[in-house]
Amino acid sequence: MHPAARTRTTLRTGPLPVPQPRTRRVRSLIDADALRVLHRAARVLLDDLPELTDRLLAVLSEQEPAYRTTLENDHTGTWQEAYRSLRHSVTSLLDPRGSREAAHRCTWRIGVARAEQGLPLDALLHAFRLGGSLVWQRLVEETARAEPEDIRLLVHVATDVWNFVDEHCTLVADAYRQAERQLAWRRENRVRLMAAALLEGTSRIADVPETAEGLRLPEQGRYVVVAVACGRPQDLTGVRAPAPAHGDGTYWHTGVEADYGIVLLGDGSPDVDAGPAAGGGGTPARDPLAALGLPADGAPGRRVGIGNAVAGLAAVGDARRTADLALSICPPEGGTVRLAEHLPEALVGSCPELGATLTEQVLGPLLRLEPADRDVLLETLVAWFACEGSAQRAGERLYCHRNTVLNRLRRCEQLIGRSLARPHDVVEISLALTARRLRHG
């Protein structure tokens, strides 16, 4: 023996401790008696399950309006569901390990089914707790009838019974919430698919009512589509923006190269051709940017294209195409383009092949100059058009004398064989410059 152990032994004084009887043995005997009483009552309950099921449904119908409606619509299915749940509850009292898996599966299926049917979770949890309460009440009643003196023994298994009820309440709530999330995802995905088809113009006429319901937008009314690329507002994309106070709606759809906002202008609103200040008959025009919560002055790097208004939700595909066209002529550095204010650019941008041909036919000789010479002449032409034909203001913009501007313009006229004094030639040159800008940025 280790010396330290011997030392501690020799220092011990007084009588040796007397081993005390183990309480675990006494408790196990009590538990065994309690389980015997529990099992005896549970076996009787198995025979009385139909009556217990009727009792449960009667109380639910009285206390839960949601279950009252469910029973009216499907009494047989609801009864069978309650019966299976109660049978698993009572069977678990007799064989906890052997019946655990089946009981869990039953509870999980109930949670999923009730979530799909839209029964409130509170009502479902109330039904489970009420079922547990009725089972416990019947256990006490049966024990009092058969062996009244054994009622005291049920106290030792009460915790296990109510732990079972709590476990299955938690399980059915988890199943319900998971199914609810999946249903919400399916609904959202369905709405996204319907919105995508609507914007692509592939939505069938028969699907428009369902699409309108999913997007919470009316079928009739004037709509405009706003295309947003680069630096899109992350708090709005892919979700429906809050409806304005006067009841009109919007919807955001996340695309691959751009996001699209569908804006209801209203039945009597004029078109958005003249921008937010447009007047005329009907109600004042609603600004699509303000409706979508986008700043009017834009954001760095964000490109926004606003298409033309269309009549009816079914025509949103046409509105999306005009929004894409407006987006295509938006400057690369960012900005907002309302298509109706840039129709010449839109005409050129709608057919890039013709735009390239026009550029070559009108500006070809100028474009084939040395880069430095070419860029100076092109810059002068662009400045002259931007200054509405004023050589003086173009010179101020280019930091040169107006005579220098005029000399450069004359050289351009000589190279391309067109005159800036003839309206037809001016239109061709302007469109050619626009086509080149859209092609090369």
Coordinates of all heavy atoms in Angstrom, one line a residue, residues 204-268:
R204 N -49.0 33.3 -70.7 CA -50.2 33.1 -71.4 C -51.3 34.0 -70.8 O -51.3 34.3 -69.7 CB -50.6 31.6 -71.3 CG -49.6 30.6 -71.8 CD -50.2 29.2 -71.6 NE -50.4 28.9 -70.2 CZ -51.0 27.8 -69.8 NH1 -51.4 26.8 -70.7 NH2 -51.2 27.6 -68.5
I205 N -52.2 34.3 -71.7 CA -53.3 35.2 -71.3 C -54.1 34.5 -70.1 O -54.5 35.2 -69.2 CB -54.3 35.4 -72.4 CG1 -53.5 36.3 -73.5 CG2 -55.5 36.2 -72.0 CD1 -53.1 37.6 -73.1
A206 N -54.2 33.2 -70.2 CA -55.0 32.5 -69.1 C -54.2 32.5 -67.8 O -54.9 32.3 -66.7 CB -55.2 31.0 -69.5
D207 N -52.9 32.8 -67.8 CA -52.1 32.9 -66.6 C -52.1 34.2 -66.0 O -51.6 34.4 -64.8 CB -50.7 32.4 -66.8 CG -50.6 30.9 -67.2 OD1 -51.5 30.2 -66.8 OD2 -49.7 30.5 -67.9
V208 N -52.6 35.3 -66.7 CA -52.5 36.6 -66.2 C -53.2 36.9 -64.9 O -52.7 37.5 -64.0 CB -52.9 37.6 -67.3 CG1 -53.0 39.1 -66.7 CG2 -52.0 37.6 -68.5
P209 N -54.4 36.3 -64.7 CA -55.1 36.5 -63.4 C -54.3 36.0 -62.2 O -54.2 36.6 -61.2 CB -56.5 35.8 -63.6 CG -56.7 35.8 -65.1 CD -55.3 35.7 -65.7
E210 N -53.7 34.8 -62.4 CA -52.9 34.2 -61.3 C -51.7 35.1 -61.1 O -51.3 35.3 -59.9 CB -52.6 32.8 -61.6 CG -51.8 32.1 -60.5 CD -51.3 30.7 -60.9 OE1 -51.6 30.3 -62.0 OE2 -50.6 30.1 -60.1
T211 N -51.1 35.5 -62.2 CA -49.9 36.4 -62.0 C -50.2 37.7 -61.3 O -49.5 38.1 -60.4 CB -49.3 36.7 -63.4 OG1 -49.0 35.5 -64.1 CG2 -48.1 37.6 -63.3
A212 N -51.4 38.3 -61.7 CA -51.8 39.5 -61.0 C -52.0 39.3 -59.5 O -51.6 40.1 -58.7 CB -53.1 40.0 -61.7
E213 N -52.6 38.1 -59.2 CA -52.8 37.8 -57.8 C -51.5 37.6 -57.0 O -51.3 38.1 -55.9 CB -53.7 36.6 -57.6 CG -54.0 36.2 -56.2 CD -54.9 35.0 -56.1 OE1 -55.3 34.4 -57.1 OE2 -55.1 34.5 -54.9
G214 N -50.5 36.9 -57.7 CA -49.3 36.6 -57.1 C -48.4 37.9 -56.9 O -47.8 38.1 -55.9
L215 N -48.5 38.8 -57.9 CA -47.7 40.1 -57.8 C -48.5 41.1 -57.0 O -47.9 42.2 -56.8 CB -47.4 40.6 -59.2 CG -46.1 40.0 -59.8 CD1 -46.1 38.5 -59.9 CD2 -45.9 40.7 -61.2
R216 N -49.7 40.8 -56.7 CA -50.6 41.8 -56.0 C -50.7 43.1 -56.8 O -50.6 44.2 -56.3 CB -50.1 42.1 -54.6 CG -50.3 40.9 -53.7 CD -49.9 41.2 -52.3 NE -48.5 41.3 -52.1 CZ -47.8 41.7 -51.1 NH1 -48.5 42.1 -50.0 NH2 -46.5 41.7 -51.0
L217 N -51.0 42.9 -58.1 CA -51.1 44.0 -59.0 C -52.4 43.8 -59.9 O -52.7 42.6 -60.2 CB -49.9 44.2 -60.0 CG -48.6 44.5 -59.3 CD1 -47.5 44.4 -60.4 CD2 -48.6 45.9 -58.7
P218 N -53.2 44.8 -60.2 CA -54.4 44.6 -61.0 C -54.1 44.3 -62.4 O -53.0 44.7 -62.9 CB -55.1 46.0 -60.8 CG -54.0 47.0 -60.6 CD -53.0 46.2 -59.8
E219 N -55.0 43.6 -63.0 CA -54.8 43.2 -64.5 C -54.9 44.5 -65.3 O -54.1 44.6 -66.3 CB -55.8 42.2 -64.9 CG -55.7 40.8 -64.3 CD -56.7 39.9 -64.9 OE1 -56.7 39.7 -66.1 OE2 -57.5 39.3 -64.1
Q220 N -55.8 45.4 -65.0 CA -56.0 46.6 -65.8 C -55.2 47.8 -65.2 O -55.0 47.8 -64.0 CB -57.5 46.9 -65.9 CG -58.3 45.8 -66.4 CD -57.8 45.3 -67.8 OE1 -57.4 46.1 -68.7 NE2 -57.9 44.0 -68.0
G221 N -54.9 48.7 -66.1 CA -54.1 49.9 -65.6 C -53.0 50.1 -66.5 O -52.6 49.3 -67.4
R222 N -52.3 51.2 -66.3 CA -51.1 51.6 -67.2 C -49.9 51.2 -66.4 O -49.7 51.6 -65.2 CB -51.1 53.0 -67.6 CG -52.3 53.4 -68.5 CD -52.2 54.8 -69.0 NE -51.1 54.9 -69.9 CZ -51.0 54.5 -71.2 NH1 -52.0 53.7 -71.7 NH2 -49.9 54.7 -71.9
Y223 N -49.0 50.5 -67.0 CA -47.7 50.1 -66.4 C -46.5 50.6 -67.1 O -46.5 50.8 -68.3 CB -47.7 48.5 -66.3 CG -48.6 47.9 -65.3 CD1 -49.9 47.5 -65.7 CD2 -48.2 47.7 -64.0 CE1 -50.7 46.9 -64.8 CE2 -49.1 47.2 -63.1 CZ -50.3 46.8 -63.5 OH -51.2 46.2 -62.5
V224 N -45.4 50.7 -66.3 CA -44.1 51.1 -66.9 C -43.1 50.2 -66.2 O -43.3 49.8 -65.1 CB -43.8 52.5 -66.7 CG1 -43.6 52.9 -65.3 CG2 -42.6 52.9 -67.5
V225 N -42.1 49.8 -66.9 CA -41.0 49.0 -66.4 C -39.7 49.8 -66.3 O -39.4 50.5 -67.2 CB -40.8 47.7 -67.2 CG1 -39.5 46.9 -66.8 CG2 -42.0 46.8 -67.2
V226 N -39.0 49.7 -65.2 CA -37.8 50.3 -65.0 C -36.7 49.3 -64.9 O -36.8 48.3 -64.1 CB -37.8 51.2 -63.7 CG1 -36.4 51.8 -63.4 CG2 -38.9 52.2 -63.8
A227 N -35.7 49.4 -65.7 CA -34.5 48.4 -65.7 C -33.4 49.1 -65.0 O -33.0 50.2 -65.3 CB -34.1 48.0 -67.1
V228 N -32.8 48.3 -64.0 CA -31.7 48.9 -63.2 C -30.5 47.9 -63.3 O -30.6 46.7 -63.1 CB -32.1 49.0 -61.7 CG1 -30.9 49.6 -60.9 CG2 -33.3 49.9 -61.6
A229 N -29.3 48.4 -63.7 CA -28.1 47.6 -63.8 C -27.0 48.3 -63.1 O -26.9 49.6 -63.1 CB -27.7 47.4 -65.3
C230 N -26.1 47.5 -62.4 CA -25.0 48.0 -61.7 C -25.4 48.9 -60.5 O -26.1 49.9 -60.6 CB -24.0 48.8 -62.6 SG -23.5 47.9 -64.0
G231 N -24.9 48.5 -59.3 CA -25.2 49.2 -58.1 C -26.7 49.3 -57.8 O -27.2 50.2 -57.3
R232 N -27.4 48.1 -58.0 CA -28.8 48.1 -57.8 C -29.1 48.1 -56.2 O -28.2 47.7 -55.4 CB -29.4 46.8 -58.4 CG -28.8 45.5 -57.9 CD -29.5 44.4 -58.6 NE -28.9 43.1 -58.2 CZ -28.0 42.4 -58.9 NH1 -27.6 42.9 -60.0 NH2 -27.6 41.2 -58.5
P233 N -30.2 48.6 -55.8 CA -30.5 48.7 -54.4 C -30.8 47.3 -53.8 O -31.8 46.7 -54.1 CB -31.8 49.6 -54.4 CG -32.4 49.3 -55.7 CD -31.3 49.1 -56.7
Q234 N -29.9 46.8 -53.0 CA -30.0 45.5 -52.4 C -31.2 45.3 -51.5 O -31.7 44.2 -51.4 CB -28.7 45.2 -51.7 CG -27.5 45.1 -52.5 CD -27.5 44.1 -53.6 OE1 -28.1 43.0 -53.4 NE2 -26.9 44.4 -54.8
D235 N -31.7 46.4 -50.9 CA -32.8 46.2 -50.0 C -34.1 46.1 -50.8 O -35.2 45.8 -50.2 CB -32.9 47.4 -49.1 CG -33.0 48.7 -49.8 OD1 -32.4 48.8 -50.9 OD2 -33.6 49.7 -49.3
L236 N -34.1 46.3 -52.1 CA -35.4 46.3 -52.8 C -35.4 45.1 -53.9 O -36.5 44.7 -54.2 CB -35.6 47.6 -53.6 CG -35.9 48.8 -52.7 CD1 -36.0 50.1 -53.6 CD2 -37.1 48.6 -51.9
T237 N -34.3 44.7 -54.4 CA -34.3 43.8 -55.5 C -34.9 42.4 -55.1 O -34.6 41.9 -54.0 CB -32.9 43.5 -56.0 OG1 -32.0 43.1 -54.9 CG2 -32.3 44.7 -56.7
G238 N -35.7 41.9 -56.0 CA -36.3 40.6 -55.8 C -37.5 40.5 -54.8 O -38.1 39.5 -54.6
V239 N -37.9 41.7 -54.2 CA -39.0 41.7 -53.4 C -40.0 42.8 -53.8 O -39.6 43.7 -54.4 CB -38.6 41.9 -51.9 CG1 -37.7 40.7 -51.4 CG2 -37.9 43.2 -51.7
R240 N -41.2 42.7 -53.3 CA -42.2 43.7 -53.7 C -41.9 44.9 -52.8 O -41.9 44.8 -51.6 CB -43.6 43.1 -53.4 CG -44.7 44.1 -53.9 CD -46.0 43.4 -53.6 NE -47.1 44.2 -54.1 CZ -47.7 45.2 -53.4 NH1 -47.2 45.5 -52.2 NH2 -48.7 45.9 -53.9
A241 N -41.8 46.1 -53.4 CA -41.7 47.3 -52.7 C -43.0 47.6 -52.0 O -44.0 47.2 -52.4 CB -41.2 48.4 -53.6
P242 N -42.9 48.4 -50.9 CA -44.1 48.7 -50.2 C -45.1 49.5 -51.1 O -44.7 50.3 -51.8 CB -43.6 49.6 -49.0 CG -42.2 49.2 -48.8 CD -41.7 48.8 -50.2
A243 N -46.4 49.2 -51.0 CA -47.4 49.9 -51.8 C -47.5 51.3 -51.3 O -47.5 51.6 -50.1 CB -48.7 49.2 -51.7
P244 N -47.5 52.3 -52.2 CA -47.7 53.7 -51.9 C -49.0 53.9 -51.1 O -49.9 53.1 -51.2 CB -47.7 54.4 -53.2 CG -47.0 53.5 -54.1 CD -47.4 52.1 -53.7
A245 N -49.1 55.1 -50.5 CA -50.3 55.4 -49.7 C -51.6 55.4 -50.5 O -52.6 55.1 -49.9 CB -50.1 56.7 -49.0
H246 N -51.5 55.8 -51.8 CA -52.7 55.9 -52.5 C -53.1 54.6 -53.2 O -54.0 54.5 -54.0 CB -52.6 57.0 -53.6 CG -51.3 57.0 -54.4 ND1 -51.1 56.1 -55.4 CD2 -50.2 57.7 -54.2 CE1 -49.9 56.3 -55.9 NE2 -49.3 57.3 -55.2
G247 N -52.5 53.5 -52.8 CA -52.9 52.2 -53.2 C -52.3 51.5 -54.4 O -52.5 50.4 -54.7
D248 N -51.6 52.3 -55.2 CA -50.9 51.7 -56.4 C -49.8 50.8 -55.9 O -49.2 51.0 -54.9 CB -50.4 52.8 -57.3 CG -51.5 53.6 -58.0 OD1 -52.6 53.0 -58.0 OD2 -51.3 54.7 -58.4
G249 N -49.4 49.9 -56.8 CA -48.4 48.9 -56.4 C -47.2 48.9 -57.3 O -47.1 49.5 -58.4
T250 N -46.1 48.3 -56.8 CA -44.9 48.0 -57.5 C -44.4 46.6 -57.3 O -44.8 46.0 -56.3 CB -43.8 49.0 -57.1 OG1 -43.5 48.9 -55.7 CG2 -44.2 50.5 -57.4
Y251 N -43.5 46.1 -58.1 CA -43.0 44.8 -57.9 C -41.5 44.8 -58.4 O -41.3 45.2 -59.6 CB -43.8 43.7 -58.6 CG -43.2 42.3 -58.3 CD1 -43.6 41.6 -57.2 CD2 -42.3 41.8 -59.2 CE1 -43.0 40.4 -56.9 CE2 -41.8 40.5 -59.0 CZ -42.2 39.8 -57.8 OH -41.6 38.6 -57.6
W252 N -40.6 44.3 -57.6 CA -39.2 44.2 -58.1 C -38.9 42.8 -58.5 O -39.3 41.8 -57.8 CB -38.3 44.6 -56.9 CG -37.9 46.0 -56.9 CD1 -38.3 46.9 -55.9 CD2 -37.1 46.8 -57.8 NE1 -37.8 48.2 -56.2 CE2 -37.0 48.1 -57.3 CE3 -36.3 46.4 -58.9 CZ2 -36.3 49.1 -58.0 CZ3 -35.6 47.4 -59.6 CH2 -35.6 48.7 -59.1
H253 N -38.2 42.6 -59.6 CA -37.8 41.3 -60.0 C -36.3 41.3 -60.3 O -35.8 42.1 -61.1 CB -38.6 40.9 -61.3 CG -38.2 39.6 -61.9 ND1 -38.6 38.4 -61.4 CD2 -37.4 39.3 -62.9 CE1 -38.1 37.4 -62.1 NE2 -37.3 37.9 -63.0
T254 N -35.6 40.3 -59.8 CA -34.2 40.2 -60.0 C -33.9 39.4 -61.2 O -34.3 38.3 -61.4 CB -33.5 39.5 -58.8 OG1 -33.8 40.2 -57.6 CG2 -32.0 39.4 -59.0
G255 N -33.2 40.1 -62.2 CA -32.8 39.4 -63.4 C -31.4 39.0 -63.4 O -30.7 39.2 -62.4
V256 N -30.9 38.6 -64.6 CA -29.5 38.1 -64.7 C -28.6 39.3 -64.9 O -27.6 39.5 -64.2 CB -29.4 37.1 -65.9 CG1 -27.9 36.7 -66.1 CG2 -30.2 35.9 -65.6
E257 N -28.9 40.2 -65.9 CA -28.1 41.3 -66.2 C -28.6 42.6 -65.7 O -28.0 43.6 -65.6 CB -27.9 41.4 -67.7 CG -27.2 40.2 -68.3 CD -27.0 40.4 -69.8 OE1 -27.5 41.4 -70.4 OE2 -26.4 39.5 -70.4
A258 N -29.9 42.6 -65.3 CA -30.5 43.8 -64.7 C -31.7 43.4 -63.8 O -32.2 42.3 -64.0 CB -31.0 44.7 -65.8
D259 N -32.1 44.3 -63.0 CA -33.3 44.1 -62.2 C -34.4 44.9 -62.8 O -34.1 46.0 -63.4 CB -33.1 44.5 -60.7 CG -32.1 43.5 -60.0 OD1 -31.9 42.4 -60.5 OD2 -31.5 43.9 -59.0
Y260 N -35.6 44.5 -62.6 CA -36.8 45.2 -63.2 C -37.8 45.6 -62.2 O -38.2 44.7 -61.4 CB -37.4 44.3 -64.3 CG -36.5 44.0 -65.4 CD1 -35.8 42.8 -65.4 CD2 -36.3 44.9 -66.5 CE1 -34.9 42.5 -66.4 CE2 -35.4 44.6 -67.5 CZ -34.7 43.4 -67.5 OH -33.8 43.1 -68.5
G261 N -38.2 46.8 -62.2 CA -39.3 47.3 -61.4 C -40.5 47.5 -62.2 O -40.5 48.2 -63.2
I262 N -41.6 46.8 -61.8 CA -42.9 47.0 -62.5 C -43.7 48.0 -61.7 O -43.9 47.8 -60.5 CB -43.7 45.7 -62.6 CG1 -42.8 44.6 -63.4 CG2 -45.0 45.9 -63.4 CD1 -43.5 43.2 -63.4
V263 N -44.1 49.1 -62.4 CA -44.8 50.2 -61.7 C -46.2 50.4 -62.3 O -46.3 50.6 -63.5 CB -44.0 51.5 -61.8 CG1 -44.7 52.6 -61.0 CG2 -42.6 51.3 -61.2
L264 N -47.2 50.4 -61.4 CA -48.6 50.7 -61.8 C -48.7 52.2 -61.8 O -48.6 52.8 -60.7 CB -49.6 50.0 -60.9 CG -51.0 50.4 -61.1 CD1 -51.5 49.8 -62.5 CD2 -51.9 49.8 -60.0
L265 N -49.0 52.8 -63.0 CA -49.2 54.2 -63.0 C -50.6 54.6 -62.7 O -50.8 55.8 -62.2 CB -48.9 54.7 -64.4 CG -47.4 54.5 -64.9 CD1 -47.3 55.0 -66.4 CD2 -46.4 55.3 -64.0
G266 N -51.5 53.7 -62.8 CA -52.9 54.0 -62.6 C -53.7 54.0 -63.8 O -53.2 54.0 -65.0
D267 N -55.0 54.0 -63.7 CA -55.9 53.9 -64.9 C -55.9 55.2 -65.7 O -56.0 55.2 -66.9 CB -57.3 53.5 -64.4 CG -57.4 52.1 -63.9 OD1 -56.6 51.3 -64.4 OD2 -58.2 51.9 -63.0
G268 N -55.9 56.3 -64.9 CA -56.1 57.6 -65.6 C -54.8 58.4 -65.8 O -54.9 59.5 -66.3

